[in-house]
């Protein structure tokens, strides 16, 4: 399978995953969106040397993957490009921050601790975002954004971009396959035809956009969508789920849970 074909398959797989009949998928999308944003905000707020308390924030993605019955291995495979980029951000910290820090009887550089903290922040943020996308369809996310009174034009742009991304990738796949058939001895697309192929893809995209808008207008489009998540109502268990996790975030942010657990286990 080509790279474009693999990308289309992964997008369709994520949509199928988000549309499952599973407990986590039935939680109100606004609750899951607020929790994701709150979790990322709390994770980012930790000081750069507060590695021990940051580790306790792993409870949310771990519990979320277990409750949603998601495969952590497939998650790592789908994020194999994003996660290394997130981890690369902090690699220079040990060279710039050479302050000595004692952890028990071990002396390490403060830059190593800040590097690990920065990496964990990025990993936790990516995992929380993946958990949201894997349990909430794009229409439900747009419905949550609409409830938050985000400008309608932005919500519509997000919805149409996500919905028709597969069409654009399919068009790129057809274009590259046609080029490969006409130049069987070449590996990839020659740089001399990058401009012409990009121009053809732009013209085809404009034509497809005009056809799409005309079909939407004929079906009574007036600038607003009836989102598929609009039939979902806020239930008491959704509010309880939100309150419990917000309380957990607050406790973990203020209390050194990992240190307490370590002292309890070791008896020190």
């Amino acid at each position: 399978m080509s790279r474009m074909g693999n990308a289309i398959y992964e997008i369709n797989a994520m949509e199928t995953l988000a549309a499952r009949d599973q407990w986590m998928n039935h939680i109100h999308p606004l609750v899951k969106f607020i929790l994701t944003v709150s979790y990322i905000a709390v994770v980012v707020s930790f000081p750069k040397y507060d590695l021990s308390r940051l580790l306790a924030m792993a409870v949310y993605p771990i519990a979320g993957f277990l409750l949603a019955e998601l495969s952590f291995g497939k998650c790592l495979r789908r994020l194999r490009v994003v996660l290394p980029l997130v981890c690369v951000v902090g690699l220079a910290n040990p060279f710039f921050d050479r302050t000595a820090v004692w952890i028990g009887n071990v002396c390490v550089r403060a830059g190593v601790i800040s590097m690990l903290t920065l990496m964990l922040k990025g990993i936790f943020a990516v995992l929380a975002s993946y958990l949201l996308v894997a349990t909430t369809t794009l229409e439900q996310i747009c419905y949550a954004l609409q409830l938050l009174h985000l400008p309608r034009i932005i919500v519509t742009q997000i919805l149409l971009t996500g919905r028709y991304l597969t069409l654009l990738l399919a068009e790129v796949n057809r274009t590259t396959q046609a080029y490969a058939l006409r130049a069987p001895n070449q590996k990839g697309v020659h740089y001399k035809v990058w401009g012409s192929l990009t121009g053809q893809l732009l013209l085809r995209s404009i034509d497809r956009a005009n056809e799409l808008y005309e079909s939407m207008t004929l079906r009574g489009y007036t600038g607003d969508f009836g989102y598929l998540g609009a039939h979902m109502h806020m239930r008491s268990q959704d509010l309880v789920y939100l309150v419990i996790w917000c309380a957990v975030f607050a406790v973990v942010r203020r209390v050194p849970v990992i240190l307490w657990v370590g002292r309890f286990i070791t008896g020190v």
Side-chain angles (χ1 to χ4, degrees):
M1 184 182 296
S2 63
R3 291 183 178 180
M4 292 299 171
N6 187 48
I8 295 173
Y9 171 79
E10 290 295 342
I11 292 176
N12 293 331
M14 288 300 297
E15 291 181 353
T16 303
L17 197 63
R20 294 181 304 161
D21 185 13
Q22 207 272 344
W23 179 79
M24 277 282 289
N25 296 58
H26 293 306
I27 296 178
H28 198 279
L30 183 59
V31 170
K32 289 184 284 187
F33 185 82
I34 292 176
L35 275 180
T36 303
V37 175
S38 301
Y39 176 79
I40 294 176
V42 173
V43 165
V44 173
S45 69
F46 279 88
K48 61 180 180 179
Y49 300 132
D50 203 352
L51 179 61
S52 60
R53 286 198 296 177
L54 179 61
L55 286 172
M57 292 299 293
V59 64
Y60 178 70
I62 292 175
F65 272 78
L66 293 176
L67 293 174
E69 299 177 356
L70 296 174
S71 173
F72 191 71
K74 290 183 179 180
C75 171
L76 293 180
R77 181 172 58 82
R78 287 169 177 156
L79 301 176
R80 62 185 179 276
V81 178
V82 179
L83 290 178
L85 292 177
V86 170
C87 295
V88 166
V89 175
L91 289 180
N93 286 28
F95 301 99
F96 293 101
D97 192 352
R98 299 173 177 269
T99 306
V101 177
W102 289 90
I103 302 178
N105 297 324
V106 181
C107 180
V108 297
R109 291 183 179 179
V112 175
I113 299 177
S114 62
M115 176 190 69
L116 295 177
T117 303
L118 186 59
M119 288 180 177
L120 279 180
K121 288 181 179 180
I123 292 173
F124 288 166
V126 171
L127 291 179
S129 302
Y130 177 86
L131 183 61
L132 173 66
V133 175
T135 58
T136 315
T137 62
L138 182 60
E139 288 83 2
Q140 293 175 349
I141 294 177
C142 290
Y143 175 59
L145 295 176
Q146 187 185 47
L147 293 178
L148 294 174
H149 300 287
L150 199 70
R152 184 174 61 183
I153 187 172
I154 297 179
V155 179
T156 302
Q157 187 67 36
I158 294 173
L159 178 64
L160 292 181
T161 301
R163 178 54 56 196
Y164 296 99
L165 181 61
T166 54
L167 295 179
L168 178 62
L169 292 177
E171 194 66 40
V172 174
N173 191 32
R174 285 193 293 268
T175 303
T176 54
Q177 285 182 349
Y179 178 84
L181 291 174
R182 289 167 175 78
N185 296 326
Q186 289 186 9
K187 293 184 178 181
V189 180
H190 198 273
Y191 70 93
K192 292 184 178 180
V193 297
W194 285 359
S196 60
L197 288 182
T198 304
Q200 292 179 14
L201 181 62
L202 176 62
L203 293 176
R204 292 183 181 183
S205 300
I206 294 174
D207 292 339
R208 181 62 65 86
N210 290 330
E211 295 174 359
L212 173 63
Y213 180 73
E214 291 175 357
S215 63
M216 290 167 57
T217 304
L218 292 173
R219 288 167 174 81
Y221 175 71
T222 58
D224 197 5
F225 287 97
Y227 297 106
L228 296 179
H231 70 280
M232 301 181 68
H233 301 286
M234 188 72 71
R235 302 168 299 176
S236 58
Q237 61 186 22
D238 296 332
L239 295 176
V240 171
Y241 184 80
L242 175 63
V243 171
I244 289 176
W245 275 118
C246 288
V248 171
F249 296 161
V251 170
V252 173
R253 182 64 181 87
R254 293 293 181 182
V255 178
V257 178
I258 296 296
L259 294 179
W260 285 12
V261 173
R263 291 172 182 174
F264 177 78
I265 294 176
T266 58
V268 177

